[in-house]
């Protein structure tokens, strides 16, 4: 079919839609019930559905990329990149003007990657010209702030948020993100990512909350509540989208979308646990399946996961959207369908309600209904949920936004402060030899700052495009602002990790001889603006997890100067850096700290902020240790490696402070009944010389079980502030879910017996105190 024939066909379809609408038996003079905001949402949906043709209903299931995005992609990517990528899209044979006409005819229900108020309003104006005036639902990957739009507040990436162990702050950041989105004409965040990340080779670790099911669950609940609020607000809420169902963070070779083979017990206990809890407790309205397959069944064709478990067992009430072209992937990649049309059938039948993205879907689904391979009832189910979302968001009454509203809300002072606060709490102090930190202003007269991440937007992380220079603080900016009495000497070795400047490295090494202190900003680059150069983020998976390129050479050469070396790591995935651990004087894991990350780093270096972040993921010594995570089974290390240590470089929950904490008096009843909350208390005392915050962590071990259980599992955490010498008692309440589990056949069981409680400042046994408890039926 030629491009002209395709568009001509669409125009004929549009005329048919107009005919069906204008010659409806409903009285044209009466205001339709669906346009009356005083009517209940359920009644408005029912009324609108009664006026819609099958084509109109399927159209609501169709999503397209934005016009500007499409035009840019047409010029800058190849057809092969279109088919195999996940970030940029256009439609061969369909011009953007044809898409505009489709909107006018009511043949598109949603857009993604619409990045300006002007385009959002333009598309909504076109939709208002359609027969039933149904507004568009506009979605965006707002993973940690609305980062694909210029001028937004960029919060620390999710792995950094998780390091803060502060769900309340996470909820606040997503609440503010929702406000910035609505002010910009957007209604739907493709967030949060609540996958379990257990393989550092995977490039998307930074957009997750780490390896632990409990932490991921708490952060996921906070994110969904922040975006949607407890009850939808027509002007302030956006749809949340929990993703990706399921297993993307444990692919069998560490790459994005690679297959997963896993037993049902482990799948339910670990991978699905956050989905279950977030659905039950936060009620996200949308869900996205994963690129990958589990046990031979691709996510977008897995009816057991999407319908049987998510909908029927967990109670998911919203709609499911495909990931980028993943319906088509059932045919083109997974090879379980001979044609895209059959792939659409499998996916919709399995539970997917909206197609991301492009042409071909509407026509195929209509044919499948005519052929009785899909029921119109199934189409109605999908369409009703999508319309329900539009009514709940108030889009029929308020589909437009304005530049003036956007200017008042986006990058507001309060939002900036939240981004800074999360960065301050999310940065983790990994090493502090001889208490070199905090630095005293003026003590080191000449400071050398170098490294590829010292003075650029790598601090932003993935899912962020170029931001205005005045809107962010780099590591170099921060150090200059805190280093009164010192001369800061900066050597730019280049930002591209793949092509660091050898001459500049030599210059830095030569200069180091006359310096008193060296601060290096090393790591990786996830910044989406650097699409071809970035080394982490979506579809940037690695075989190795050491420092990229010449960075190791840079730090080793500078260490030879004999001057103290402080390393600041900017990265989205755990990096194996055993040499740096052995040789650097201090190490900060800053992850991807966002707009004000450089300020937060410097405040910690100079003691304006006492570090309190804890690792939400295990950091290995070597790629050969993968998979490595703290909740391993008892036999995991029955035998050692013959060529290296078996223990992690840094353990889950680990993080240093400028003060010290002592744990005591871990108490609970010696016997408890299953189903009754178990009350646990532990005392924590600040035994150091300054005020600080500690993340108190509570772990549990099932001492004996019919199916092997982890050596420990996190069941609670609290962040507590303590003045010098202050002591507080921290309380936890463990519900019955902490003591049950899914066995190897996927059956939920509780086995009475002995359990061990462990409390401390990390998952490391030597840092913990213990208490036994017996739980009976």
């Amino acid at each position: 079919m030629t491009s002209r024939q395709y568009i001509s066909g669409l125009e004929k379809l549009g005329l048919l839609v107009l005919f069906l609408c204008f010659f409806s038996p409903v009285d044209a003079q009466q205001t339709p019930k669906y346009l009356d905001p005083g009517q209940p949402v359920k009644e408005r949906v029912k009324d609108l559905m009664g006026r819609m043709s099958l084509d109109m209903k399927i159209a609501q299931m169709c999503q397209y990329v934005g016009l500007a995005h499409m035009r840019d992609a047409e010029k800058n990517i190849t057809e092969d990149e279109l088919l195999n990528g996940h970030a940029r899209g256009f439609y061969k044979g369909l011009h953007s003007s044809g898409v505009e006409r489709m909107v006018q005819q009511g043949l598109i229900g949603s857009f993604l990657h619409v990045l300006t108020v002007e385009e959002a309003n333009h598309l909504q104006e076109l939709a208002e010209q359609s027969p039933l005036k149904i507004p568009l639902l506009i979605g965006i990957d707002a993973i940690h702030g609305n980062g694909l739009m210029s001028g937004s507040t960029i919060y620390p990436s999710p792995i950094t948020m998780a390091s803060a162990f502060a769900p309340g702050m996470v909820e606040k950041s997503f609440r503010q993100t929702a406000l910035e989105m609505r002010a910009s004409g957007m209604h739907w965040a493709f967030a949060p990512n609540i996958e379990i990340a257990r393989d550092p080779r995977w490039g998307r670790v930074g957009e997750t909350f780490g390896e632990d099911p409990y932490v991921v669950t708490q952060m996921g609940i906070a994110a969904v509540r922040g975006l949607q609020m407890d009850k939808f607000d027509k002007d302030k809420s956006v749809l949340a989208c929990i993703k990706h169902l399921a297993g993307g963070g444990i692919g069998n070779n560490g790459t994005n979308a690679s297959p997963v083979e896993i037993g049902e017990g482990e799948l339910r206990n670990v991978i699905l646990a956050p989905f279950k809890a977030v659905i039950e407790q936060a009620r996200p309205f949308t869900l996205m399946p994963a690129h990958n397959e589990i046990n031979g069944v691709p996510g977008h064709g897995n009816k057991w996961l999407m319908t049987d478990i998510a909908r029927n067992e967990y109670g998911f009430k919203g709609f499911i959207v495909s990931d980028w072209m993943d319906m088509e992937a059932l045919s083109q990649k997974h090879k379980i369908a001979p044609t895209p049309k059959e792939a659409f059938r499998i996916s919709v039948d399995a539970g997917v309600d909206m197609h991301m993205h492009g042409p071909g879907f509407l026509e195929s689904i209509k044919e499948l209904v005519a052929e009785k391979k899909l029921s119109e009832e199934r189409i109605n189910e999908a369409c009703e949920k999508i319309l329900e979302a539009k009514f709940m968001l108030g889009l029929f009454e308020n589909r437009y936004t304005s530049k003036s509203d956007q200017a008042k809300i986006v990058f507001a002072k309060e939002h900036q402060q939240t981004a800074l606060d999360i960065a301050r709490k999310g940065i983790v102090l990994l090493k502090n030899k001889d208490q070199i930190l905090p630095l005293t202003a003026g003590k080191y007269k000449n400071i050398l700052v170098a490294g590829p991440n010292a003075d650029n937007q790598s601090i932003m992380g993935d899912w962020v495009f170029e931001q205005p220079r005045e809107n962010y603080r780099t590591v170099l900016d921060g150090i200059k602002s805190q280093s009164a009495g010192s001369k800061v000497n900066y050597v730019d070795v280049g930002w591209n990790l793949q092509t660091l400047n050898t001459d500049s490295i030599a210059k830095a090494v030569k200069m180091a001889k006359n310096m008193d202190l060296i601060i290096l900003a090393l790591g990786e680059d996830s910044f989406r603006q650097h699409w071809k150069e970035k080394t982490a983020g979506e579809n940037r998976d690695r075989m190795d997890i050491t420092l990229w390129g010449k960075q190791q050479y840079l730090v080793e050469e500078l260490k030879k100067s004999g001057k103290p070396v402080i390393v600041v790591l900017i990265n989205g995935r755990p990096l194996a850096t055993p040499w740096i651990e052995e040789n650097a004087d201090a190490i900060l894991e800053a992850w991807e700290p966002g707009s004000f990350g450089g300020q937060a780093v410097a405040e910690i270096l100079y003691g304006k902020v006492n570090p309190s972040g804890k690792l939400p993921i295990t950091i290995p010594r070597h790629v050969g240790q993968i998979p490595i995570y703290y909740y391993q089974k008892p036999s995991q290390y029955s035998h050692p490696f013959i060529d290296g240590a078996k223990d992690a470089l840094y353990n889950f929950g680990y993080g240093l402070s400028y003060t010290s904490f002592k744990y005591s008096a871990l108490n609970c009843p010696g016997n408890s009944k299953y189903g009754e909350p178990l009350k646990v208390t532990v005392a924590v005392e600040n035994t150091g010389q300054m005020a600080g915050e500690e993340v108190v962590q509570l772990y549990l071990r099932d001492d004996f079980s019919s199916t092997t259980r982890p050596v420990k599992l996190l069941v609670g955490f609290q962040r507590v502030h303590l003045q010098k010498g202050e002591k507080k008692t921290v309380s936890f309440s463990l519900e019955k879910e902490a003591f049950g589990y899914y066995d190897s056949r996927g059956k939920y069981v509780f086995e009475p017996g002995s359990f061990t409680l462990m409390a401390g400042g990390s998952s490391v046994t030597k840092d913990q105190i213990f208490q036994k408890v017996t739980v009976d039926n």
Side-chain angles (χ1 to χ4, degrees):
M1 181 183 291
T2 67
S3 134
R4 185 180 298 276
Q5 288 171 328
Y6 180 75
I7 295 174
S8 175
L10 290 174
E11 289 172 340
K12 290 177 182 177
L13 184 59
L15 290 173
L16 176 60
V17 168
L18 286 168
F19 176 85
L20 291 171
C21 180
F22 287 134
F23 288 90
S24 168
V26 178
D27 182 3
Q29 302 304 313
Q30 182 181 355
T31 300
K33 183 182 288 188
Y34 80 90
L35 292 178
D36 180 359
Q39 294 291 326
V41 167
K42 185 177 180 179
E43 292 300 314
R44 297 179 77 181
V45 171
K46 181 179 178 181
D47 181 70
L48 180 53
M49 287 289 292
R51 300 167 186 271
M52 297 173 74
S53 67
L54 177 62
D55 299 277
M56 289 171 152
K57 294 172 184 176
I58 301 171
Q60 289 302 303
M61 302 167 69
C62 297
Q63 185 179 74
Y64 282 67
V65 296
L67 303 176
H69 178 104
M70 190 185 313
R71 292 163 185 151
D72 178 71
E74 286 170 344
K75 294 183 292 184
N76 293 309
I77 69 170
T78 66
E79 188 173 355
D80 182 67
E81 289 174 314
L82 167 67
L83 292 173
N84 295 302
H86 292 139
R88 303 170 78 186
F90 66 93
Y91 309 118
K92 189 177 181 181
L94 177 60
H95 191 267
S96 54
S97 60
V99 172
E100 289 177 300
R101 286 196 292 275
M102 290 171 67
V103 177
Q104 287 176 303
Q105 293 161 359
L107 298 178
I108 297 176
S110 175
F111 278 85
L112 75 159
H113 296 333
V114 175
L115 303 183
T116 65
V117 166
E118 292 83 358
E119 183 177 340
N121 285 341
H122 171 62
L123 289 170
Q124 295 290 12
E125 286 172 1
L126 294 175
E128 198 164 19
Q129 297 169 26
S130 68
L132 293 175
K133 305 182 184 300
I134 301 174
L136 297 165
L137 187 62
I138 297 178
I140 193 74
D141 285 280
I143 308 299
H144 50 113
N146 195 18
L148 298 181
M149 191 189 77
S150 179
S152 300
T153 308
I154 310 303
Y155 300 91
S157 65
I159 198 71
T160 325
M161 292 183 180
S163 291
F165 281 77
M169 297 185 71
V170 172
E171 180 173 343
K172 188 176 183 180
S173 74
F174 278 93
R175 176 88 296 277
Q176 294 169 351
T177 295
L179 295 175
E180 295 198 9
M181 288 176 62
R182 288 303 296 262
S184 304
M186 305 168 193
H187 325 107
W188 182 13
F190 302 129
N193 186 333
I194 57 172
E195 293 188 83
I196 300 294
R198 295 202 310 205
D199 196 325
R201 295 174 298 177
W202 187 44
R204 302 185 75 167
V205 171
E207 68 176 89
T208 76
F209 297 115
E211 74 182 35
D212 177 70
Y214 184 79
V215 171
V216 173
T217 294
Q218 299 311 308
M219 302 304 167
I221 290 171
V224 171
R225 287 177 174 165
L227 292 169
Q228 295 187 170
M229 306 176 66
D230 287 334
K231 184 178 181 181
F232 276 94
D233 184 295
K234 290 188 174 184
D235 299 313
K236 298 177 181 178
S237 295
V238 301
L239 302 179
C241 180
I242 56 172
K243 62 182 187 181
H244 307 84
L245 189 71
I250 58 168
N252 65 10
N253 63 1
T255 62
N256 202 28
S258 61
V260 171
E261 288 80 37
I262 187 172
E264 187 175 345
E266 181 78 354
L267 180 66
R268 286 179 174 273
N269 286 324
V270 178
I271 307 303
L272 295 182
F275 288 92
K276 180 179 188 294
V278 174
I279 288 171
E280 291 176 348
Q281 298 180 47
R283 303 179 300 281
F285 203 80
T286 72
L287 180 152
M288 183 181 290
H291 299 305
N292 58 281
E293 63 178 72
I294 289 185
N295 300 331
V297 184
H300 283 69
N302 199 323
K303 192 169 188 174
W304 178 69
L305 276 180
M306 289 187 284
T307 299
D308 296 346
I309 292 183
R311 283 199 185 280
N312 298 337
E313 185 178 333
Y314 296 169
F316 176 70
K317 301 297 185 185
F319 69 86
I320 297 176
V321 61
S322 81
D323 206 337
W324 188 278
M325 308 296 283
D326 269 314
M327 284 188 173
E328 291 85 341
L330 296 184
S331 173
Q332 297 164 355
K333 181 189 297 181
H334 296 291
K335 305 298 182 184
I336 67 167
T339 64
K341 177 180 171 180
E342 177 61 9
F344 293 148
R345 184 197 68 77
I346 292 171
S347 195
V348 172
D349 179 68
V352 179
D353 302 299
M354 182 181 286
H355 172 242
M356 180 195 288
H357 56 90
F361 178 78
L362 190 154
E363 297 79 9
S364 293
I365 297 299
K366 186 176 181 182
E367 290 174 8
L368 288 164
V369 172
E371 295 164 1
K372 300 191 182 304
K373 293 179 180 178
L374 281 176
S375 68
E376 187 165 354
E377 181 183 5
R378 173 69 189 96
I379 306 308
N380 289 342
E381 289 172 357
C383 183
E384 285 170 356
K385 288 298 180 183
I386 295 165
L387 294 177
E388 182 182 350
K390 294 182 178 184
F391 283 118
M392 289 192 306
L393 292 168
L395 298 185
F396 282 82
E397 293 75 52
N398 185 21
R399 71 182 72 200
Y400 301 108
T401 188
S402 69
K403 292 288 288 184
S404 60
D405 287 343
Q406 185 187 44
K408 287 183 226 172
I409 294 171
V410 173
F411 205 63
K413 287 290 185 183
E414 183 183 355
H415 302 185
Q416 297 175 38
Q417 187 63 48
T418 301
L420 175 59
D421 289 343
I422 295 174
R424 286 166 168 166
K425 295 182 186 297
I427 293 171
V428 185
L429 178 62
L430 297 178
K431 183 179 181 181
N432 192 17
K433 182 181 178 182
D434 299 327
Q435 285 70 55
I436 187 173
L437 298 179
L439 300 173
T440 301
K443 177 179 178 180
Y444 298 98
K445 298 300 181 184
N446 288 287
I447 300 174
L448 172 64
V449 176
N453 290 337
D455 194 32
N456 60 58
Q457 293 189 65
S458 60
I459 56 173
M460 301 293 198
D462 198 3
W463 300 105
V464 181
F465 283 148
E466 192 81 29
Q467 297 298 315
R469 182 60 184 90
E470 64 273 16
N471 282 22
Y472 63 90
R473 309 290 181 268
T474 67
V475 173
L476 179 63
D477 293 336
I479 292 171
K480 285 182 175 179
S481 72
Q482 298 292 327
S483 57
S486 301
K487 180 181 179 182
V488 176
N489 304 272
Y490 173 59
V491 177
D492 183 359
V493 299
W495 61 266
N496 187 344
L497 301 181
Q498 303 176 40
T499 60
L500 294 187
N501 189 293
T502 302
D503 292 338
S504 294
I505 290 175
K507 178 182 176 182
V509 171
K510 183 178 180 181
M511 186 182 293
K513 298 174 184 177
N514 299 315
M515 296 293 107
D516 301 307
L517 177 69
I518 300 167
I519 302 176
L520 290 175
L522 308 173
E524 290 203 298
D525 184 2
S526 302
F527 187 42
R528 188 155 283 241
Q529 192 78 28
H530 300 159
W531 184 251
K532 293 184 178 180
E533 300 87 5
K534 67 192 208 126
T535 61
E538 186 183 37
N539 293 334
R540 289 299 186 273
D541 312 308
R542 294 183 59 188
M543 292 188 292
D544 190 15
I545 55 169
T546 57
L547 288 173
W548 189 283
K550 299 174 184 175
Q551 293 183 92
Q552 187 66 36
Y553 172 76
L554 171 64
V555 65
E556 289 189 21
E557 289 299 300
L558 289 173
K559 180 63 180 178
K560 291 176 183 177
S561 69
K563 305 303 169 60
V565 175
I566 297 171
V567 172
V568 178
L569 293 171
I570 307 290
N571 49 296
R573 61 154 63 87
L575 294 175
T577 56
W579 189 93
I580 290 178
E581 163 59 27
E582 293 174 11
N583 292 279
D585 294 275
I587 307 170
L588 282 185
E589 176 55 88
W591 297 115
E592 297 157 328
S595 294
F596 300 96
Q599 178 179 339
V601 164
E603 288 175 340
I604 289 173
L605 290 176
Y606 281 89
K608 300 292 174 56
V609 171
N610 190 349
S612 59
K614 302 283 188 175
L615 293 177
I617 191 168
T618 303
I619 300 181
R621 296 178 179 277
H622 189 278
V623 71
Q625 291 180 305
I626 297 170
I628 183 171
Y629 42 90
Y630 84 89
Y631 48 92
Q632 76 267 7
K633 295 296 183 70
S635 62
Q636 178 85 0
Y637 298 112
S638 297
H639 299 281
F641 294 110
I642 64 170
D643 55 352
K646 65 182 181 182
D647 60 315
L649 185 62
Y650 304 107
N651 291 278
F652 175 89
Y654 170 80
L656 300 175
S657 171
Y658 294 152
T659 189
S660 56
F661 301 97
K662 180 181 178 181
Y663 286 76
S664 63
L666 176 57
N667 291 317
C668 68
N671 294 275
S672 180
K673 289 287 186 182
Y674 178 69
E676 297 178 357
L678 177 68
K679 303 298 182 183
V680 182
T681 60
V682 63
V684 187
E685 182 180 3
N686 183 343
T687 56
Q689 299 302 309
M690 63 188 299
E693 293 189 6
E694 171 71 327
V695 176
V696 180
Q697 302 163 46
L698 183 67
Y699 296 83
L700 182 72
R701 180 176 66 239
D702 188 343
D703 292 333
F704 298 97
S705 53
S706 59
T707 300
T708 60
R709 299 291 293 136
V711 295
K712 64 185 68 175
L713 272 173
L714 186 71
V715 291
F717 63 82
Q718 288 190 42
R719 176 176 278 272
V720 57
H721 184 275
L722 294 168
Q723 296 293 334
K724 172 185 173 182
E726 187 180 7
K727 185 176 183 179
K728 288 183 179 178
T729 297
V730 179
S731 299
F732 298 91
S733 179
L734 300 188
E735 302 298 327
K736 63 180 182 180
E737 289 80 9
F739 301 97
Y741 69 95
Y742 292 91
D743 66 14
S744 60
R745 296 184 180 183
K747 179 183 178 182
Y748 188 78
V749 298
F750 163 71
E751 297 172 338
S754 171
F755 294 81
T756 300
L757 291 161
M758 295 156 270
S762 81
S763 64
V764 181
T765 300
K766 68 179 181 62
D767 295 336
Q768 298 176 332
I769 58 176
F770 305 86
Q771 177 66 46
K772 293 281 189 180
V773 60
T774 298
V775 182
D776 295 315
N777 279 315

